[in-house]
Amino acid sequence: MYDTIIIGGGASGLVAAIVAIKNNEKVLLLEKMPQCGLKLRITGKGRCNITNTLPLKEFLTHCGSEPRFLYPSFSKFFNTELMSFLEDLGLDVVIERGNRVFPASGKAQDVFLSLIKFLEDNDCTIVKNTRVTNLIVKENKVIGVETKPFGDKSSINKTSTKNFYASKVILASGGQSYPNTGSDGDGIKLAQSVGHKIEDTFPSLVGLRLLHFNADVIYPRLINFETKNVGAVVKNSQGKIIAKEFGDIIFREDHIDGPIILTISRQIAQLLGKEKLYLELDLKPAIEQKTLDTKLQSELNQRGRESIESTLRAFLPLELIYLIKHKTKINFSKPSSQINKEDRKEILSLLKNLSFEIVDSMGFQRAVVTKGGVSLKEVNPKTLESKLINGLFFCGEVLDLDADTGGYNLQIAFSTGYLAAQKHSQG
Ligand SMILES: Cc1cc2nc3c(=O)[nH]c(=O)nc-3n(C[C@H](O)[C@H](O)[C@H](O)COP(=O)(O)OP(=O)(O)OC[C@H]3O[C@@H](n4cnc5c(N)ncnc54)[C@H](O)[C@@H]3O)c2cc1C
């Protein structure tokens, strides 16, 4: 019999386990994968953007539609507390551009190692390759979990079940994104099996697929080409603006990516596939259309003998010239002097409103977070205990919580893990 069982050894579960151990509890951490923290170790492109130093009010503007739910978690354990907590575990952190906090070593692995080392040094029972398949509930109180071995090893008898018992169970099993790290939606199903309402889930912070976009076909050098300071707007078929961002984008072979695309994907997650959406790129956002037209006209006149493509080099890198070339029938090889007004206006419109229909996102396989999850309405924000099942607590991405990129999602995982493990909140 344990005091607390934690389902999932990811970001939120590891912090929850440390807090429970510090409270002198007998803790069992169950992890389905052969290793804990597989996702944590690949965060921030291997550098782990741990948190963001924005003040609470501004921080919350990046945290979805129910930021009030997070007040109790953040008031107990916010960014400064997290940094001290990690430093106490021996991890130095640095603050970089955009208030983003990283481990000083630049290695996500070190964040994981600092957390797991504490647990290994402090008698936390960690059982890996073990999947929680059921919550054991008696008279509206959770009393334990049923598990099955998990993994590829042929020696594992996948049919044998083993039960573990505790007075408190914390569901820290993540969302559905990057399922090969172990977060494949199990936790959502477990919560649902004991009556919890699930808000529909969608891939979020994810690249977008565009109709007729294949960088390899357009111009192979466009693959992984990054362009800075672009305006991006998403409109529906009635022309209504759904999302608007300014910043950097990256063209991949079969989709479009980069910071503003990820942010946009979060804003349109629920609409994708339900209605037609169009992405409009403004490749020259610093210049108004009329001024740009005057400049374009003047360049085309001055470079009359050069090809249109060559003249456009005054405005765009070659990669983007190929991108707009692909969207028009205008012959870019003819001399600039031969361009007519209609063609010039079309080029102008491609520079300012390069439009693509959005076909889909890259899905859960490639999404940084899951939008949706266990409904917040049935979870007490002050304790993170279920309002339906005594002794059952939630933390991290299994909850209907998601945020922008910039360290916000890990702070949510760490803060909710911290609060869920508090002793006073035991049911
Ligand atoms: C590529 C990538 C980069 C990211 N970079 C950043 C970043 O730099 N900064 C940031 O703030 N956020 C980042 N995120 C998001 C962040 O990693 C997640 O929001 C965070 O890890 C969620 O923590 P969690 O504990 O809820 O879930 P997870 O970290 O996903 O952990 C859940 C754990 O539960 C285990 N589990 C699942 N089901 C069961 C079961 N039935 N039984 C036992 N165990 C189970 C899983 O194997 C997993 O180990 C990134 C995400 C991705 C995919």
Side-chain angles (χ1 to χ4, degrees), residues 364-394:
F364 283 117
Q365 293 291 335
R366 302 284 286 276
V368 171
V369 285
T370 303
K371 198 177 186 68
V374 174
S375 171
L376 303 181
K377 293 189 186 95
E378 294 170 351
V379 179
N380 180 348
K382 292 186 183 145
T383 58
L384 300 180
E385 187 173 14
S386 160
K387 290 181 185 172
L388 312 180
I389 309 289
N390 292 328
L392 177 64
F393 293 73
F394 300 94

Side-chain angles (χ1 to χ4, degrees), residues 8 10-12 31-32 43-44 49 132 174 178 182-183 186 368 396-397 407 410:
S12 64
E31 171 55 53
K32 154 166 132 180
T43 52
N49 181 189
V132 173
Y178 269 66
S183 328
D186 257 5
V368 171
E397 222 179 286
L410 277 175

Side-chain angles (χ1 to χ4, degrees), residues 86 105 164 382 422:
L86 292 172
S105 67
F164 297 95
K382 292 186 183 145
Q422 292 299 311

Side-chain angles (χ1 to χ4, degrees), residues 15 52 62 93 99 111 129 135 151 200 202 218-220 293 301 307 318 328 349 365 367-368 387-388 399:
V15 166
N52 195 291
H62 294 274
V93 299
N99 310 301
V111 180
N129 280 120
L135 298 170
D200 289 347
F202 305 92
I218 297 170
Y219 185 54
D293 193 21
N301 286 339
S307 67
L318 199 55
T328 169
S349 125
Q365 293 291 335
V368 171
K387 290 181 185 172
L388 312 180
L399 286 163

Side-chain angles (χ1 to χ4, degrees), residues 99-148:
N99 310 301
R100 295 180 306 159
V101 181
F102 292 89
S105 67
K107 291 183 194 153
Q109 171 84 353
D110 290 346
V111 180
F112 166 70
L113 288 176
S114 67
L115 299 170
I116 199 80
K117 186 170 182 306
F118 179 92
L119 295 175
E120 286 168 353
D121 290 350
N122 288 277
D123 293 329
C124 178
T125 309
I126 303 174
V127 181
K128 293 178 261 194
N129 280 120
T130 299
R131 176 180 179 214
V132 173
T133 45
N134 268 310
L135 298 170
I136 308 172
V137 174
K138 237 184 183 173
E139 291 158 7
N140 279 343
K141 166 136 188 52
V142 69
I143 56 162
V145 298
E146 178 197 274
T147 68
K148 279 196 169 74

